[in-house]
Amino acid sequence: MVDDSSQRSRAGGDLANAIAVYRWLPDLSPVQASDVRLWVWLCHHVFQEYVRARWPEGSPESLRSHWFFKGRGLGALRRNALSRLWWAVHLTQNPVGQLPEWGSVYQPSDPFEYTALLLERQDVYQALIERSFGSDRRLLFAALEYLRQRNEEERGKASKQIGKELNLILRYRDLGWLRGKFIVDAVSRSMELGAQG
């Protein structure tokens, strides 16, 4: 088993690698990026050395998840060693360009700032991307904006809770009609209440 510090050091290059994979496949559509055959082929042929270094041989479950696909749906697609990188950039780069209304909330100077936050910790990626709301950019950006406004220690604590809080909000409240800042405020209030309770 790999200790946590070793895992974090291997994850340190995720942002640069995610940008490189996304730029290597600039015209890939979401439909094409959902084809598991592409990612399995890339893992075993084109980027084999990277996958071996980033996800060293471990349990059979880890092998199936990162070199192949374990399960179905978004979670499986977003656990593969390469597809997870492409999807991280696709969903979070240039938030104002993807969602013009977001300019009233925040305009990052770096188009990959939210991508960096997403890949900073594995639990953030898992909590946000591997859930059903992970493809809703407004919710994803609101969660990442909440994390961006926190220091590193606060982000570490919040990253374990934010996915649960968003699931809870969405059970009793439809955020679909809200705009940027109001979604961020709803996430912030829910996180504060969750921390108190």
Side-chain angles (χ1 to χ4, degrees), residues 163-182:
K164 293 176 188 174
E165 290 299 324
L166 273 171
N167 268 340
L168 182 63
I169 293 171
L170 295 171
R171 285 181 191 226
Y172 69 89
R173 194 168 175 192
D174 178 15
L175 298 181
W177 57 277
L178 292 176
R179 294 281 185 209
K181 181 173 181 342
F182 298 103

Side-chain angles (χ1 to χ4, degrees), residues 86-100:
W86 189 91
W87 280 103
V89 175
H90 178 73
L91 290 170
T92 61
Q93 72 161 335
N94 186 20
V96 177
Q98 292 190 54
L99 196 62

Side-chain angles (χ1 to χ4, degrees), residues 2-3 13 19 31 34 58-60 62 70 72 82 89 98 124 128 132 146 151 154 158 171-172 176:
V2 178
D3 69 40
I19 294 168
V31 171
S34 299
S59 69
S62 176
K70 181 181 176 214
R72 302 194 125 181
L82 296 171
V89 175
Q98 292 190 54
V124 171
L128 298 179
S132 60
Y146 174 83
N151 65 39
E154 292 171 332
R171 285 181 191 226
Y172 69 89

Side-chain angles (χ1 to χ4, degrees), residues 61-119:
E61 183 176 323
S62 176
L63 182 67
R64 280 192 303 271
S65 294
H66 302 302
W67 285 79
F68 296 95
F69 285 84
K70 181 181 176 214
R72 302 194 125 181
L74 297 176
L77 193 62
R78 293 177 184 161
R79 282 187 292 271
N80 174 271
L82 296 171
S83 66
R84 67 185 288 280
L85 299 176
W86 189 91
W87 280 103
V89 175
H90 178 73
L91 290 170
T92 61
Q93 72 161 335
N94 186 20
V96 177
Q98 292 190 54
L99 196 62
E101 72 180 52
W102 203 254
S104 67
V105 176
Y106 177 65
Q107 293 208 17
S109 57
D110 176 358
F112 300 106
E113 187 170 358
Y114 283 168
T115 311
L117 283 168
L118 181 67
L119 294 172

